[in-house]
Amino acid sequence: MIGISVNDLSVSFGETKILEDISFNVEAGEIVTILGPSGCGKSTILRCIASLHSEYKGEIFLNETCLVNNGKHECNTDIGYIFQDYALFPHLNVKENIEFALYKLKQEEKQRRVDTLLKQFDLFDHRYKQIHELSGGQQQRVSIARVLAYEPKVLLLDEPFSNLDTILRNKTKVWLKKMIKDLGLSAILVTHDQKEALSMSDKIAIINNKKIEQFGTSQELFEKPKSYYVANFLNRINRLPYKLVEDLGSTISLENLAVIPIDKIEVTADETKIKASILDISYCGDYYELEVSLDDYENMELTVKAFCIDCLTSMQNCFLDIKLEDIKIVREKV
Ligand SMILES: Nc1ncnc2c1ncn2[C@@H]1O[C@H](COP(=O)(O)OP(=O)(O)OP(=O)(O)O)[C@@H](O)[C@H]1O
């Protein structure tokens, strides 16, 4: 199995610096997700690892082997790159797309490998179809099968679910994660979808302002975010007033912020709790989302979830139960 090390990777396009001193490791067999907003440089990291972009500072290792940063685009067959738009060959059918990179193999071995993949990816009955005759989900399966055909040890996945609808997306996530683990591959997934990152990854790197703001297991980042940016990226949170935290019996220094996930605030009829005015109620199916303002804390506005509206004393006011143990203290800036 192959692990990946990215050490002090910096990339500029012209005068504009996109990435600065990016370092992280993917242990053999791990799935690591790079998470960040559009344009923050996620795909650029993958492109550097795949040697599709070679003008960078820093070093990238596959196990002990340094990918030589010599300005040349060299194809490394240990690495499989699954593109956001699938990048299939439109003039070839499904089978021809999958066998494209296997030209060095003997016909018999090529046939065996392609047939196995066609069956494994549920594409056997579609093997002679042209790419435009396939659904988005089928095209995506062809793009993954085509890469797995040459048996890479490392998979780079650039937003592989972005063209799929919600149902297919969820099914494909489970399937792809199992396949990566079963084959013992190391994988780097790029996404801007926090739920996808949390459910797919062993570890997550969150990019902010050219750098990795936090790197760790999904659980670490979700439960112990270092900064407001990380907390806000992974979960829906409210910032709480300093005075409220003090009134609950704790203290907080001025360089820190107190935050709480929106679903950790309980809406109650208990008048001894924190009084809030209701600004808006939205029906969200299995819960209601309330926009409220805190009457005793400079009318700071919060978003909270209520699971029924019978619990509201009126449609104008409600009371909020906020527990100290649910409050996270994060740094405003790392
Ligand atoms: N070849 C290039 N020349 C100039 N600028 C580029 C080039 N490739 C990427 N960029 C710029 O670098 C930045 C990072 O691009 P990149 O595609 O890595 O972002 P991303 O985080 O993957 O975005 P998205 O989530 O929208 O796909 C963007 O501002 C982009 O415009």
Side-chain angles (χ1 to χ4, degrees):
M1 284 208 272
I2 288 190
I4 307 157
S5 288
V6 175
N7 299 334
D8 296 325
L9 177 73
S10 297
V11 180
S12 298
F13 289 112
E15 297 293 295
T16 315
K17 195 168 238 182
I18 302 295
L19 295 163
E20 198 174 336
D21 297 331
I22 298 284
S23 298
F24 65 95
N25 291 329
V26 184
E27 305 295 337
E30 264 185 354
I31 303 177
V32 169
T33 293
I34 302 172
L35 185 62
S38 183
C40 73
K42 303 180 295 295
S43 303
T44 302
I45 298 176
L46 290 197
R47 292 173 62 78
C48 290
I49 297 172
S51 304
L52 296 173
H53 182 81
S54 41
E55 284 157 35
Y56 59 82
K57 285 198 186 128
E59 289 176 321
I60 300 170
F61 287 87
L62 295 192
N63 284 351
E64 306 303 314
T65 311
C66 183
L67 299 180
V68 182
N69 177 9
N70 60 3
K72 289 187 192 147
H73 293 226
E74 284 177 9
C75 180
N76 183 329
T77 51
D78 280 335
I79 298 177
Y81 196 123
I82 293 165
F83 293 89
Q84 195 168 357
D85 58 2
Y86 310 149
L88 294 167
F89 302 115
H91 58 292
L92 301 180
N93 67 25
V94 168
K95 185 168 174 288
E96 290 162 344
N97 260 281
I98 296 176
E99 66 188 18
F100 184 79
L102 305 181
Y103 57 89
K104 283 189 185 156
L105 294 187
K106 290 205 175 105
Q107 184 57 28
E108 216 168 280
E109 168 61 7
K110 185 157 71 173
Q111 186 71 33
R112 190 195 60 75
R113 229 188 257 187
V114 173
D115 280 356
T116 308
L117 284 163
L118 284 168
K119 285 177 192 151
Q120 194 184 356
F121 285 69
D122 212 5
L123 290 166
F124 197 78
D125 293 344
H126 306 289
R127 64 191 180 284
Y128 298 121
K129 284 192 180 166
Q130 295 300 308
I131 298 307
H132 72 267
E133 295 176 281
L134 301 177
S135 71
Q138 288 163 340
Q139 288 187 23
Q140 192 228 30
R141 295 209 298 275
V142 179
S143 76
I144 299 173
R146 186 181 61 170
V147 168
L148 291 183
Y150 58 86
E151 300 184 338
K153 310 283 186 308
V154 168
L155 267 195
L156 306 176
L157 302 129
D158 196 348
E159 307 251 10
F161 312 114
S162 59
N163 295 328
L164 306 182
D165 65 47
T166 317
I167 295 172
L168 195 56
R169 200 181 173 105
N170 288 337
K171 266 172 69 178
T172 313
K173 270 195 303 200
V174 174
W175 167 82
L176 187 58
K177 184 176 170 183
K178 184 171 180 312
M179 192 206 63
I180 292 171
K181 292 293 177 187
D182 286 351
L183 293 174
L185 303 176
S186 307
I188 304 182
L189 170 74
V190 152
T191 181
H192 53 254
D193 181 324
Q194 37 281 66
K195 287 228 167 76
E196 200 163 286
L198 288 168
S199 63
M200 286 288 290
S201 337
D202 297 300
K203 293 188 184 137
I204 299 176
I206 297 204
I207 311 263
N208 182 26
N209 203 13
K210 308 182 192 67
K211 299 190 175 210
I212 292 185
E213 180 121 344
Q214 193 170 355
F215 180 72
T217 65
S218 308
Q219 212 163 351
E220 265 165 19
L221 264 66
F222 192 78
E223 287 171 11
K224 294 187 185 128
K226 267 204 234 163
S227 63
Y228 181 79
Y229 182 84
V230 172
N232 194 38
F233 210 92
L234 288 179
N235 205 354
R236 294 190 63 202
I237 55 168
N238 288 299
R239 195 181 148 181
L240 294 175
Y242 288 97
K243 186 166 179 310
L244 188 150
V245 180
E246 282 169 14
D247 291 350
L248 290 171
S250 187
T251 51
I252 171 171
S253 60
L254 283 176
E255 68 272 19
N256 288 332
L257 299 175
V259 298
I260 187 164
I262 67 164
D263 52 3
K264 292 286 184 188
I265 299 178
E266 191 190 340
V267 179
T268 166
D270 180 350
E271 295 188 9
T272 65
K273 301 298 177 191
I274 300 157
K275 187 161 181 276
S277 300
I278 299 173
L279 307 174
D280 185 52
I281 300 177
S282 305
Y283 176 63
C284 299
D286 48 354
Y287 65 93
Y288 294 87
E289 205 162 281
L290 274 53
E291 298 301 319
V292 300
S293 75
L294 300 179
D295 297 1
D296 299 329
Y297 300 97
E298 296 173 357
N299 293 322
M300 191 168 205
E301 292 184 12
L302 306 182
T303 304
V304 296
K305 276 184 177 180
F307 291 91
C308 66
I309 43 175
D310 297 343
C311 58
L312 306 180
T313 43
S314 72
M315 287 306 190
Q316 281 87 44
N317 298 309
C318 63
F319 296 90
L320 305 177
D321 190 5
I322 297 179
K323 296 195 170 59
L324 205 47
E325 65 262 26
D326 293 324
I327 297 176
K328 296 180 206 297
I329 305 298
V330 294
R331 279 187 269 162
E332 188 166 8
K333 287 204 175 87
V334 173

